[in-house]
Amino acid sequence: MSSNGRVEKLNAIFYPQSIAVVGASRRAGTVGNDIFRNLLFSEYTGAVYPINPKSPSVMGVHAYPTLRAAPGPVDLAVIIVPAPAVLDTVDEAIEIGVKGLVVISAGFKEMGKAGAELELRLRDKVRGAGIPLIGPNCLGVINTDPKISMNAAFGRKMPDAGNLGFISQSGALCTSVLDYAEERHMGFSKFISFGNKADVNEIELLEYLAHDPKTDVIAMYLEDVSNGREFIETVHKIFWETHKPMLCLKSGRSPEGAKAVSSHTGSLAGSDSVYDALFAQSGVQRVDTIAELFDYALLYTTQPLPKGNRVAIITNAGGPGIMATDAAVRYGLKLAELSDATREQLKPSLPETASLRNPIDVIGDARSDRYKAAVHAVLSDENVDMGIVILTPQSMTEIEETAAVVPEVTKGISKPVICSFMGAKDVAPGVAILREAKIPNYPFPEDGIRSLAAAHRLVSLHEIPRRHVPVFDDLDLPRAARLIAEALDGADSRYLTQAQCRAILECYRLPLLKSRLTQSADEAADAARTIGGSVVMKVMSADVVHKFDAGGVVLNVQGPEEAKAAYQRIVDNVKRHVPSARIDGILVEQMAPKGVEVILGASRDPRFGPLMMFGLGGTLVEVLKDVSFRLAPMWQISAERMIHEIRAFKVLDGFRGAPPADVPSIVDTLLRLSALVCNHPEVSELDINPLIVHPIGQGCSVADSRIMLRRPQ
């Protein structure tokens, strides 16, 4: 739990012995009437006091004109009054010792500047009094625990009890979720709409649900995250201490993420990229739809997590078996290879025409006894990590008997087992039996396979190896800080020349090529002679952001005479394309050996801080957008994963006979860049494009770099 005890105080909201509904109404169809009605009809076990100065009673319950007039102590006040009256109501609640608040009322920061100021005053009041507040602008809270049975929300009905905890920033979405969950016969432990989160935020609610014995799985709908680093740390602690899976449906894009920025990294890193990185690093599984969220939650709330990705498919129809196989391959699962012993065990129970290899086809005329033998033998095989049982309703199919067989024969097998009884009306009796036995059923096998694959990904998200932030002992931090201060020199922001970038990157021991900054054609010729071999020459000017476009780069320069000519050509090109550019010199640099070009970058998100990027390099990176992101500082495994998850990773892994690239050197470079941007908040944007990666064991080379410095606000 949190060290300041705020999370413990949430019990006053979820387990109150008495509730006052301020704004309870006699008029049907109003929020004040709905919430009071829901509290009464949910069989809440405590005392309920309707507060209404104009009515003597509400729904037959004696009403009180003010909170002060309530006949006993009030643990929780649910406030449903116009926004301008909320502060006075809160003052009254503080005065009488209310322990928790839920403010349903809208009209706060979602309404603009005046509402935002009112919300700040509300927050300051409750925090000064040490009283937790959920809201404002929310649907309310529900606790299905029979000890309290509290529905302090204005949804249509009380959901069934279950082990899924749900939190949502959107009240309107909550009503749809409740309706959808009822149709799928899914229950909740806690159901929390937290609205504007003026006080209690999603991180505190996650901590609360982590230690709630009634909650085994946590799902959330978020529009933003209060604190990215705290979110990551909290979620990791939750998973490692409780092993509770967490799912998130995230929508919305921040205004900050939409701002135009000039670096590759900045232009590619919209706010959605930040959240992808946030969830990947925290271990929260992101979903795209409500249906997907409930597909996964159905599995997580009823089945153990898998120990591997080997799936077995048992079916009475070839087509659905093929569909499941295709889905397994598509979502990254492997078809389990049954042992010889398992196949021998299956032979006496299955007809000769049945398939004894995965997928196991028990043939269309299979009755429950055939399914029983197949499911038990296959799921008991040590080569199987998970299984799906597919049934299509044919004339001889024993739907209910087969449904009863699945939980019977898998009892004691600690592997996720799901079913796909395909159809609707005919299979409904069997689905009901499965639901009662806590066996997930999916109308179509692809959805079930996708959920099994998600469970395997969830486990892999929390792998332990290399989960540490490396500490480098070969860095020259004082020199890097001095170079950055000198480069800014009183300015609020400034692009660095590549020569300036090189000096800073050198402090972090990045793999730089031999180079020399020259001020004349003769100096360029001497530099080319000294470096030897092929060189590249580049204009050094803070006014020329895209050097290639301005003719400021010449490749494959051979020897002193070519260097002289290239020097003058670059100067002429730049003066023609950017007449006002101040040229600080021409960099003569060793041409890197051949390799795979990748891009590494960093930008600074206004809310979450440094964001690292990786992808294939070159000029098409912004077109293809095949990139991955992580928040810095990064663990070593985060750097490894962001390299492996781009679609084009096979180019690095050895493609068409090419040797594999030196991926470990990319990992090292990424982690050093992560340290750089974390140690120096002035680094606003950074690109290394390209980083040329040589064959395994030969390292990599920084071919070009760009840094934007901006004085922290």
Side-chain angles (χ1 to χ4, degrees):
M1 287 295 188
S2 64
S3 58
N4 61 9
R6 275 176 52 78
V7 173
E8 289 90 336
K9 289 186 177 182
L10 291 178
N11 274 327
I13 292 176
F14 296 111
Y15 286 91
Q17 297 305 302
S18 57
I19 302 174
V21 181
V22 186
S25 173
R26 301 173 68 176
R27 188 155 51 92
T30 62
V31 174
N33 182 270
D34 287 347
I35 288 182
F36 192 74
R37 177 186 296 273
N38 283 342
L39 278 169
L40 291 184
F41 287 95
S42 66
E43 299 183 359
Y44 169 60
T45 58
V48 185
Y49 307 127
I51 309 299
N52 186 323
K54 298 180 180 179
S55 301
S57 65
V58 176
M59 298 182 66
V61 179
H62 180 73
Y64 305 91
T66 64
L67 274 171
R68 296 184 190 90
V74 175
D75 286 344
L76 172 64
V78 180
I79 299 174
I80 319 157
V81 299
V86 167
L87 293 185
D88 288 341
T89 305
V90 169
D91 283 337
E92 189 179 0
I94 294 171
E95 178 188 326
I96 68 167
V98 168
K99 298 175 183 176
L101 297 165
V102 174
V103 177
I104 306 293
S105 314
F108 290 87
K109 71 179 180 184
E110 79 279 5
M111 299 301 292
K113 184 178 179 181
E117 291 174 354
L118 187 64
E119 187 168 312
L120 284 175
R121 290 169 60 196
L122 173 63
R123 183 197 67 186
D124 291 344
K125 276 184 183 295
V126 297
R127 290 192 175 174
I131 301 175
L133 175 146
I134 287 180
N137 186 30
C138 69
L139 185 84
V141 298
I142 299 172
N143 183 356
T144 63
D145 187 340
K147 288 193 299 185
I148 195 76
S149 190
M150 178 188 73
N151 185 355
F154 61 94
R156 286 181 174 269
K157 59 186 71 175
M158 182 76 163
D160 292 337
N163 57 348
L164 175 65
F166 185 83
I167 66 174
S168 174
Q169 209 165 338
S170 166
L173 181 79
C174 286
T175 56
S176 300
V177 167
L178 285 168
D179 188 56
Y180 186 79
E182 183 183 16
E183 192 273 334
R184 297 195 68 170
H185 300 275
M186 289 193 67
F188 297 92
S189 55
K190 309 290 186 293
F191 193 94
I192 309 159
S193 166
F194 60 95
N196 293 5
K197 55 181 176 180
D199 179 42
V200 175
N201 62 26
E202 73 285 350
I203 296 172
E204 291 169 303
L205 291 171
L206 286 175
E207 283 192 81
Y208 185 84
L209 292 176
H211 292 81
D212 175 28
K214 296 292 184 180
T215 300
D216 294 325
V217 179
I218 302 171
M220 61 194 101
Y221 168 81
L222 300 179
E223 292 169 1
D224 60 23
V225 168
S226 301
N227 183 305
R229 184 54 52 187
E230 186 182 356
F231 184 89
I232 290 174
E233 292 171 357
T234 298
V235 167
H236 270 297
K237 183 180 177 184
I238 289 172
F239 189 86
W240 286 113
E241 288 184 359
T242 70
H243 301 288
K244 295 183 180 182
M246 283 159 280
L247 299 161
C248 183
L249 177 60
K250 163 71 180 68
S251 69
R253 296 179 179 272
S254 69
E256 294 89 349
K259 287 182 179 177
V261 285
S262 52
S263 74
H264 284 300
T265 307
S267 61
L268 289 164
S271 69
D272 216 42
S273 301
V274 180
Y275 280 103
D276 276 339
L278 177 75
F279 295 133
Q281 284 170 269
S282 67
V284 168
Q285 199 159 44
R286 188 173 189 180
V287 297
D288 294 323
T289 65
I290 294 175
E292 189 178 0
L293 186 149
F294 277 97
D295 278 348
Y296 297 175
L298 180 62
L299 176 64
Y300 299 162
T301 54
T302 59
Q303 296 293 302
L305 292 174
K307 294 180 174 63
N309 68 341
R310 301 168 299 178
V311 62
I313 302 165
I314 301 161
T315 179
N316 69 342
I322 296 171
M323 291 162 57
T325 300
D326 289 344
V329 173
R330 183 164 65 249
Y331 294 125
L333 297 179
K334 292 181 180 179
L335 286 186
E337 292 188 13
L338 302 181
S339 68
D340 293 340
T342 298
R343 287 199 293 271
E344 287 299 317
Q345 186 180 347
L346 286 171
K347 281 182 181 178
S349 305
L350 301 184
E352 291 184 2
T353 52
S355 169
L356 300 182
R357 296 187 179 276
N358 199 8
I360 299 90
D361 188 348
V362 295
I363 308 302
D365 63 352
R367 299 185 184 274
S368 60
D369 58 341
R370 200 180 293 172
Y371 267 104
K372 182 176 183 178
V375 173
H376 181 265
V378 170
L379 268 297
S380 299
D381 193 316
E382 291 184 357
N383 295 331
V384 174
D385 297 312
M386 60 186 85
I388 179 171
V389 180
I390 301 171
L391 178 147
T392 58
Q394 301 176 41
S395 60
M396 69 290 296
T397 305
E398 297 174 341
I399 295 172
E400 294 175 63
E401 293 84 348
T402 303
V405 155
V406 177
E408 176 190 339
V409 299
T410 58
K411 187 176 182 180
I413 296 177
S414 185
K415 300 174 184 179
V417 181
I418 65 172
C419 289
S420 179
F421 280 34
M422 298 179 66
K425 186 176 180 180
D426 287 348
V427 298
V431 171
I433 292 170
L434 292 170
R435 185 166 57 245
E436 186 67 25
K438 306 296 184 186
I439 301 289
N441 183 74
Y442 299 87
F444 302 105
E446 301 97 327
D447 294 333
I449 291 289
R450 183 182 62 180
S451 300
L452 288 171
H456 174 256
R457 288 197 308 274
L458 179 69
V459 172
S460 66
L461 277 174
H462 294 276
E463 288 174 344
I464 297 174
R466 301 174 302 288
R467 197 175 291 280
H468 65 276
V469 177
V471 177
F472 299 100
D473 57 8
D474 59 350
L475 311 182
D476 192 345
L477 301 182
R479 180 171 179 249
R482 187 173 64 254
L483 289 168
I484 289 171
E486 291 171 354
L488 274 174
D489 190 25
D492 288 333
S493 63
R494 179 164 293 164
Y495 269 110
L496 302 188
T497 65
Q498 190 177 351
Q500 291 172 307
C501 293
R502 282 180 55 88
I504 294 171
L505 298 181
E506 188 178 62
C507 296
Y508 279 78
R509 303 295 183 262
L510 292 182
L512 301 170
L513 298 161
K514 296 178 184 177
S515 69
R516 194 166 117 199
L517 182 63
T518 63
Q519 306 293 336
S520 68
D522 288 337
E523 285 187 15
D526 184 61
R529 183 184 300 107
T530 302
I531 293 170
S534 298
V535 297
V536 57
M537 296 175 62
K538 311 172 189 176
V539 66
M540 295 294 102
S541 172
D543 302 317
V544 182
V545 177
H546 299 289
K547 294 186 284 290
F548 270 101
D549 295 345
V553 179
V554 178
L555 304 173
N556 292 309
V557 177
Q558 303 282 341
E561 293 306 315
E562 286 191 20
K564 273 188 178 183
Y567 187 100
Q568 193 57 52
R569 186 157 78 251
I570 289 173
V571 171
D572 293 342
N573 286 343
V574 171
K575 286 184 176 178
R576 184 169 62 254
H577 284 88
V578 190
S580 61
R582 186 185 69 182
I583 298 176
D584 298 321
I586 306 296
L587 187 74
V588 181
E589 186 175 63
Q590 172 190 4
M591 282 284 288
K594 288 185 178 180
V596 180
E597 293 187 1
V598 300
I599 179 172
L600 278 61
S603 61
R604 198 167 292 275
D605 184 84
R607 300 184 65 187
F608 299 137
L611 179 70
M612 305 299 299
M613 183 195 75
F614 171 77
L616 285 191
T619 57
L620 293 179
V621 62
E622 290 185 36
V623 176
L624 300 176
K625 299 187 188 305
D626 185 15
V627 291
S628 59
F629 294 89
R630 293 294 187 276
L631 292 168
M634 292 195 302
W635 296 315
Q636 182 171 334
I637 195 170
S638 296
E640 294 169 4
R641 283 177 172 169
M642 70 187 296
I643 294 169
H644 282 80
E645 70 187 34
I646 65 168
R647 297 188 299 276
F649 175 74
K650 62 180 65 174
V651 176
L652 291 166
D653 202 29
F655 184 64
R656 291 191 174 181
D662 197 334
V663 172
S665 70
I666 309 175
V667 172
D668 182 72
T669 306
L670 270 170
L671 292 170
R672 289 174 180 273
L673 282 182
S674 172
L676 191 159
V677 296
C678 289
N679 290 336
H680 306 287
E682 301 90 347
V683 177
S684 175
E685 300 171 20
L686 185 154
D687 283 342
I688 293 178
N689 185 25
L691 178 78
I692 300 177
V693 189
H694 311 305
I696 187 74
Q698 299 179 30
C700 55
S701 305
V702 176
D704 200 0
S705 58
R706 181 169 53 184
I707 294 176
M708 160 66 89
L709 299 180
R710 184 171 286 115
R711 197 173 298 280
Q713 299 297 316

